[in-house]
Amino acid sequence: MISDEATSALDPKTTQSILELLKKLNEELGLTIVLITHEMQVIKSICHNVAVMDEGRVIERGPVSQIFTAPQEKLTTDFVETSTNVKAAIERVTKTVKLDELPANQELVYFNFIGNATKQSILSELSQTYHVSENILFANIDEIDGESVGYMIAIIAGDLPPFNQALEDLRSQGVKTQILSGRTVREGEASC
């Protein structure tokens, strides 16, 4: 079944009803649905696979959880950051927190927790181990095709070099990080 913009310009309640109907058709009838939409919230809520198109060609495709947690293309990254509110949160935070005025022992860090990492107290454990403090400025947990995905922006203060080394080791635990600095992002091995 092809569903072209079935939820476009609908109120939230009607959108949810349409999505529940499409999901029911998929599950009960085994019906494959090609859902065409610009609404990433719709994709997050009912899709298993996604293809991102730009100017008539597929630029990225794969399981929804993979595309949302590790987008490869700039357009896809923009879509994901907008739909997860991360982009707006980073913009709000960096307007409030003057990055170039942070003391040398502080930095702004973006965390992306995937799967089981959303259920663990990773940051708390790191702050105790490395004697740093954190000021959480934004946090959210989302469910994407049955996978929990968390987003957090925090100011970390303390002895940063050992803490940053520990951040690089978090990838194996389902945590990606970005250290936000001025207008650039310093990316280490564990960055997304």
Side-chain angles (χ1 to χ4, degrees):
M1 180 172 127
I2 295 179
S3 172
D4 189 0
E5 299 285 355
T7 59
S8 181
L10 297 177
D11 64 89
K13 186 175 180 180
T14 305
T15 295
Q16 189 59 38
S17 296
I18 296 293
L19 294 177
E20 287 171 9
L21 174 62
L22 291 173
K23 192 171 188 173
K24 183 177 179 179
L25 290 170
N26 171 256
E27 291 171 354
E28 292 181 6
L29 301 177
L31 184 64
T32 298
I33 301 170
V34 175
L35 182 66
I36 301 164
T37 185
H38 289 88
E39 299 174 70
M40 296 303 276
Q41 288 299 117
V42 169
I43 293 167
K44 286 190 321 186
S45 63
I46 69 166
C47 295
H48 303 295
N49 292 288
V50 63
V52 179
M53 296 185 71
D54 186 24
E55 296 184 5
R57 31 179 272 283
V58 174
I59 60 168
E60 191 165 357
R61 66 181 177 176
V64 172
S65 59
Q66 176 187 329
I67 298 298
F68 270 78
T69 58
Q72 301 298 306
E73 298 292 329
K74 182 175 177 1
L75 179 65
T76 308
T77 300
D78 287 344
F79 280 151
V80 169
E81 287 178 348
T82 300
S83 74
T84 59
N85 296 318
V86 169
K87 188 174 191 172
I90 289 173
E91 288 173 2
R92 271 192 318 273
V93 167
T94 55
K95 282 181 183 175
T96 305
V97 175
K98 304 297 180 212
L99 297 177
D100 53 347
E101 295 176 10
L102 284 176
N105 72 333
Q106 292 184 7
E107 61 193 8
L108 188 65
V109 181
Y110 165 66
F111 297 87
N112 181 215
F113 301 90
I114 303 164
N116 287 332
T118 61
K119 300 171 187 158
Q120 299 172 14
S121 58
I122 292 170
L123 187 57
S124 177
E125 291 169 14
L126 284 175
S127 66
Q128 290 172 18
T129 302
Y130 294 96
H131 307 290
V132 296
S133 61
E134 67 277 339
N135 178 8
I136 299 171
L137 305 173
F138 169 82
N140 189 27
I141 293 181
D142 216 341
E143 187 170 314
I144 301 170
D145 194 25
E147 179 97 68
S148 293
V149 180
Y151 311 92
M152 183 171 51
I153 302 168
I155 294 176
I156 306 298
D159 188 12
L160 297 176
F163 178 80
N164 288 342
Q165 183 58 47
L167 290 181
E168 291 185 19
D169 298 333
L170 289 177
R171 175 168 249 145
S172 64
Q173 296 180 46
V175 181
K176 298 176 183 180
T177 63
Q178 291 181 333
I179 299 171
L180 306 173
S181 173
R183 292 179 176 230
T184 64
V185 176
R186 293 194 325 255
E187 297 188 69
E189 289 179 318
S191 299
C192 55

